[in-house]
Amino acid sequence: MKKILILLLIIFAFGQTKTFSNTTNISSNISINSTWTTSGNPYIIQANIEIPDGITLTIQSGVVVKFKSQYYLKVKGALIANGTSNETIYFTSVDDNTVGGVTGTGSPTAGNWSGIIFSGDASDLSTSIMKYCDVRYGATNIY
């Protein structure tokens, strides 16, 4: 009985935080049509990033995107972030350890990163989709 209790405590302790074997650091603009998948989780934004006119970034359901400092994602092309009710896409602070594993302090606050800026041509922006996305701890989140 004692061994079972110890085993259950170990499972509980290690089962609380999902760890990811990969981390994808993003520090330059998206220059070609790209798809981010869960195999790259979490994606760490390390600079201001732009999706230029005519370029599409597709983010699959279940992907976690974390921003360092005051960085932003500027969408002039198209952003397709189409999560599901079971697999939300997260845009959050690098200090948010509740999703995407432990990547920061664990004490995120509003304004940790800038936000997602939509500022492109109307034809590209009309194709952008954000469904089942949770945007956390940005200064203005989406604008």
Side-chain angles (χ1 to χ4, degrees):
M1 180 69 172
K2 192 174 190 179
K3 288 181 183 181
I4 292 173
L5 181 59
I6 291 171
L7 180 60
L8 288 174
L9 287 173
I10 291 171
I11 291 171
F12 179 75
F14 288 103
Q16 293 303 301
T17 302
K18 185 174 181 181
T19 57
F20 294 89
S21 59
N22 296 321
T23 295
T24 304
N25 294 314
I26 307 294
S27 58
S28 61
N29 291 337
I30 310 301
S31 58
I32 61 171
N33 293 333
S34 303
T35 300
W36 293 356
T37 66
T38 56
S39 65
N41 270 348
Y43 291 80
I44 308 295
I45 305 299
Q46 299 181 325
N48 291 325
I49 303 297
E50 182 177 299
I51 304 168
D53 289 333
I55 300 297
T56 299
L57 172 61
T58 302
I59 301 177
Q60 293 184 341
S61 59
V63 167
V64 177
V65 181
K66 294 186 174 192
F67 291 78
K68 284 188 170 183
S69 189
Q70 295 297 313
Y71 298 129
Y72 58 76
L73 175 64
K74 183 180 280 187
V75 181
K76 291 184 174 181
L79 173 63
I80 309 297
N82 199 3
T84 67
S85 59
N86 293 329
E87 289 187 299
T88 302
I89 296 170
Y90 292 92
F91 297 90
T92 189
S93 165
V94 73
D95 289 330
D96 182 357
N97 295 338
T98 65
V99 293
V102 176
T103 54
T105 66
S107 301
T109 58
N112 277 157
W113 61 286
S114 185
I116 301 171
I117 304 165
F118 288 91
S119 67
D121 182 295
S123 63
D124 281 334
L125 291 179
S126 66
T127 62
S128 289
I129 298 170
M130 289 187 72
K131 282 185 171 178
Y132 292 101
C133 294
D134 188 346
V135 183
R136 304 174 174 181
Y137 305 111
T140 52
N141 289 330
I142 298 174
Y143 57 100

